[in-house]
Structure formats: C-alpha cells, structure tokens
Amino acid sequence: MNRPIFFQFALRNLRLHWLRSILAMIGIIIGVVAITSMGILGSSLVLSISEDLTTVGDTIVVIPHAGGAQMGPGGGVSSDDVIKSRQLERITRASVPHTVIPVYSGGTRIRIGGETGFAPIIGLRTADIPVLLELEDGQYLRGASGAMVGYRLAETYSLRTGSRIVVGTDGQSVRVVGILEERGMGFDINTDNAIIVSDRWYENTYDPLGYDRVIVKVRSLEEIESVKESIDTALNRRDTEVDVFDTRAILTTILETFGRISTFTIAIGGISLIVAGVSIFNVMMMSVMERYREIGILRSIGCLRREIRRMFFYESLLLGFAGSAIGGILSVAGGYIALLVMLEDTSYLFASTSLIYIPIGMIFGIGTSVLSGLYPAWKASEAHPIEALRHE
C-alpha cells in the first residue's frame, strides 16, 4: 500500500476522536508556549542587562583590599579601608597614559522642601565628571560649591536646576547645577539616585581618610589586561593592598549567570512538554487498543509491520506539528505578556536572539510528540493478525 493511504488513515482517526486529539494538542501548545515564552524572557533579560552594563566595559575599578579593614577607635573603620594619597599616586603612575579617577562615596540624609530621605553622595574632581558622566540638563560642576543629581533622584523629588538640597543634619544646603542622564546599573559608580559633589566640598564636609575607590578609564579594550597587571604589580607586590576588577570580566560573568537562569526557566517550561508527551502516549495507546481488530485486518490483507508503524507515526506527527504550529503563533503573545509583566519593556521581543526560541520550542514540541508515539506504533506493528482479529 502507498503512503498517502496510511496518511489518510491517520487523519481519519484523528477526526473520529477529535476531542481526544484536541486535548492532546492543547498539552503540546501549552508546552511550546511555556518554553518559548521563558526563552524570550531570559534572552530579553540578558539583552537588557547587557545594554545597561556595556557602557562600563572599558573600566578598571580599584578598591581597598577587603582583608585590610579593621575596627578603629570609637567603632569606626580604620584607614586601611580606604585608598590613600600615596597609593593613588602609584595607581596613577601604573596607569599612564590612561585616565585615573579617584572617588569618594558615602551616604547622607537629605531634605528637599518638606520631604526627607537618604541618598548616596559621591565626591569627584570637577575635571573628571565630564569624562565619567553624561549631562541631561544644566551644567557640570565648575567649583567647590553646588551639586549635580542623578536622573532618578531628580525624578523622585521633582528636582531641577536651581533647586536646593539640605544635606546632612547640620543644615548645610547645596544648589543643583545639573541633572545627569540616566546611567543604569554600573560597576564603577551608580549615580542615578545619587548626589554628585566636588572632591573639595566632600573633603571640607566629611574630612575623609582616603578614597573609597579608584576608576581607571582605559583607552583601548585590548590594554585592559596589561593595565590591570601593572596596577597589581605596583601595589600588591609584597602585601595585597588593593583588589583590581575588570568590569568587562564581571560583565561576562553576569551575562553567563543570566544565561544559566534563562536555561533553567526554559527547563521549567519543558516540564509541561513532558506532561504533554505523556498525554500523547496515552492517546496513542488508547488508539492502538481501540483499533486492534482493524490492525489485524490490515495485517491479514498484506500490510507490513513498517506500514502499520508508519500509520501511527503519522498520527503522533500530525498532533505534534499542529500543536507546535499553534503554540509557535501564540508564543509571540506569551512572550509579549511575559516581558510586559517582568521587564515592563517589550522592545526586545523581536530581537533575533529572542525570536530564535519560537522554532526551538516548535522543534521540541514535534520531537516530544514523535517520541511519545514510537512505542505505541511499535506495539501496533507487533500485533499478531489472528489474535488481533479475535479481539473484541
């Protein structure tokens, strides 16, 4: 017998048991939508994090070695927990000709009009601010007075250029001269919710023992490793005084971590496909038992075992293909909803790295259906013609 006849037999059986076939397909649809939606969400999350962090990929961050921190008089941390001026000079010499930016950082209570709150405060040399930060409105700091504020802080407290912020508990007031562009999360400094002041203002107000970190902006990505080694050699030759981090390496690690999270979420979605596979297996086994006499007739008139297997294989393939096709179409809506709920941003939905999960989900759906139909097809083909004809 030729193949179209067995294909028609498969279609006929699916039509005769249409409700059971639809329920089996629904399992495949849910599985494909789950896998694809989770894949799109994971890919979009990686793209979002990558976009936020790639702006600091050319940066080296130097911080005091964690092992050097000790409790000082009165319960405060000792000077070993900061980078001192002599260490800054050695970092600068080791980093020539790249830009070295020392950073003071802390936190303070603030009052804006009748509202109070807490904000990070960062002290930078005025010449370094344009190198590190982009301006949204107003102007950069030019002297010891005044302050700049991060985009989120300005949005939260409705700040604009000319606004005044009372810093600390002694009632000292600073005038906002500029608002920074939104920067997102960074490994060097996070300014979106911070107040940026000049290093001289910070020193006069807080009298710090040293810098909290040093940022080195490397001119070429190819030079990052050599600059890191130079700093490490200059300061950690005898004892470990500082820890040197390459933000590009940190970025790679974070992206790999989020990639694993994405894989894990896809695996969770895959559980629903396993359930769908069990459902299709059950449907196919029921079909074999219900058509046992029909199988006996087909075998007695000369159908080969492989032809019987082919007929049941077509049924599972049709279920998988139809369910996967519908699931692939619905996955676009599923991915859109997942991004809207989790990221509140759907701009990554049609990125190539996100869309690739639609055919991947469909392939898994078809594969699950085919695998679930192999044993029932084999079981049907092994039926003995005489015993099958006697079956009631």
Side-chain angles (χ1 to χ4, degrees):
M1 294 187 182
N2 54 24
R3 293 184 183 182
I5 290 177
F6 291 102
F7 189 79
Q8 289 168 13
F9 282 165
L11 281 174
R12 182 209 62 177
N13 187 59
L14 293 176
R15 283 197 299 266
L16 286 174
H17 302 92
W18 60 271
L19 181 59
R20 194 164 64 196
S21 301
I22 288 174
L23 292 175
M25 278 198 304
I26 287 174
I28 292 294
I29 291 169
I30 293 172
V32 171
V33 170
I35 283 183
T36 305
S37 299
M38 291 299 99
I40 289 173
L41 176 61
S43 173
S44 299
L45 186 61
V46 170
L47 288 173
S48 177
I49 295 294
S50 177
E51 187 175 282
D52 282 342
L53 300 181
T54 48
T55 55
V56 294
D58 60 346
T59 302
I60 293 172
V61 178
V62 184
I63 63 173
H65 179 56
Q70 300 174 359
M71 295 303 294
V77 292
S78 73
S79 59
D80 289 333
D81 201 30
V82 296
I83 295 177
K84 302 174 184 129
S85 297
R86 58 180 178 79
Q87 292 173 314
L88 175 61
E89 291 173 4
R90 288 154 63 191
I91 293 171
T92 304
R93 286 197 299 268
S95 303
V96 172
H98 307 286
T99 304
V100 175
I101 304 173
V103 179
Y104 293 119
S105 63
T108 184
R109 295 199 64 81
I110 60 173
R111 189 174 77 252
I112 302 166
E115 294 184 82
T116 60
F118 185 88
I121 186 163
I122 298 170
L124 296 169
R125 296 182 304 208
T126 54
D128 293 333
I129 296 176
V131 176
L132 198 59
L133 306 171
E134 297 292 333
L135 188 66
E136 172 78 18
D137 186 36
Q139 63 183 26
Y140 287 106
L141 288 173
R142 294 178 180 173
S145 62
M148 304 180 73
V149 294
Y151 181 86
R152 292 291 181 188
L153 187 69
E155 193 177 60
T156 301
Y157 291 99
S158 301
L159 295 170
R160 56 182 182 273
T161 54
S163 299
R164 300 200 74 86
I165 304 174
V166 178
V167 178
T169 57
D170 57 358
Q172 188 172 359
S173 175
V174 292
R175 179 176 174 271
V176 176
V177 300
I179 297 172
L180 299 170
E181 281 188 0
E182 188 172 11
R183 197 165 184 258
M185 185 174 65
F187 295 112
D188 47 3
I189 54 175
N190 293 306
T191 58
D192 285 350
N193 290 291
I195 300 171
I196 313 299
V197 297
S198 69
D199 58 339
R200 283 189 292 165
W201 189 96
Y202 195 99
E203 290 164 357
N204 292 335
T205 304
Y206 298 107
D207 192 23
L209 298 172
Y211 296 100
D212 295 277
R213 65 185 57 202
V214 174
I215 298 168
V216 182
K217 299 294 285 185
V218 181
R219 296 180 181 180
S220 170
L221 293 177
E222 288 74 22
E223 297 182 78
I224 284 181
E225 288 301 324
S226 62
V227 175
K228 279 178 62 180
E229 290 177 8
S230 179
I231 295 172
D232 191 63
T233 302
L235 281 89
N236 298 332
R237 186 180 307 166
R238 296 181 182 176
D239 298 315
T240 304
E241 298 181 21
V242 296
D243 295 320
V244 186
F245 295 99
D246 170 6
T247 54
R248 183 181 58 176
I250 298 172
L251 173 61
T252 301
T253 302
I254 284 186
L255 293 181
E256 287 176 353
T257 301
F258 275 100
R260 293 190 190 101
I261 293 172
S262 176
T263 303
F264 179 71
T265 57
I266 292 172
I268 292 175
I271 293 174
S272 58
L273 263 185
I274 294 174
V275 174
V278 172
S279 174
I280 289 177
F281 177 84
N282 184 51
V283 167
M284 296 300 297
M285 286 301 295
M286 289 175 64
S287 179
V288 169
M289 298 310 296
E290 289 174 354
R291 296 159 63 192
Y292 210 59
R293 186 176 179 84
E294 177 186 323
I295 293 167
I297 294 171
L298 290 172
R299 291 281 285 119
S300 65
I301 62 175
C303 283
L304 301 175
R305 284 191 174 92
R306 67 171 180 269
E307 291 172 329
I308 300 296
R309 283 196 296 267
R310 189 183 301 148
M311 179 173 62
F312 284 92
F313 175 80
Y314 284 151
E315 287 187 27
S316 62
L317 182 63
L318 285 168
L319 286 173
F321 187 82
S324 297
I326 297 170
I329 294 169
L330 295 179
S331 294
V332 178
Y336 180 87
I337 293 170
L339 294 182
L340 197 62
V341 172
M342 300 299 295
L343 297 182
E344 298 182 353
D345 181 8
T346 59
S347 58
Y348 303 105
L349 177 62
F350 294 103
S352 59
T353 52
S354 297
L355 292 178
I356 191 65
Y357 284 99
I358 295 177
I360 289 175
M362 292 175 66
I363 290 170
F364 270 102
I366 294 171
T368 300
S369 300
V370 170
L371 289 175
S372 299
L374 288 179
Y375 177 77
W378 174 83
K379 180 77 173 175
S381 68
E382 292 300 310
H384 193 280
I386 302 301
E387 292 179 1
L389 286 170
R390 290 174 179 171
H391 183 77
E392 295 296 336

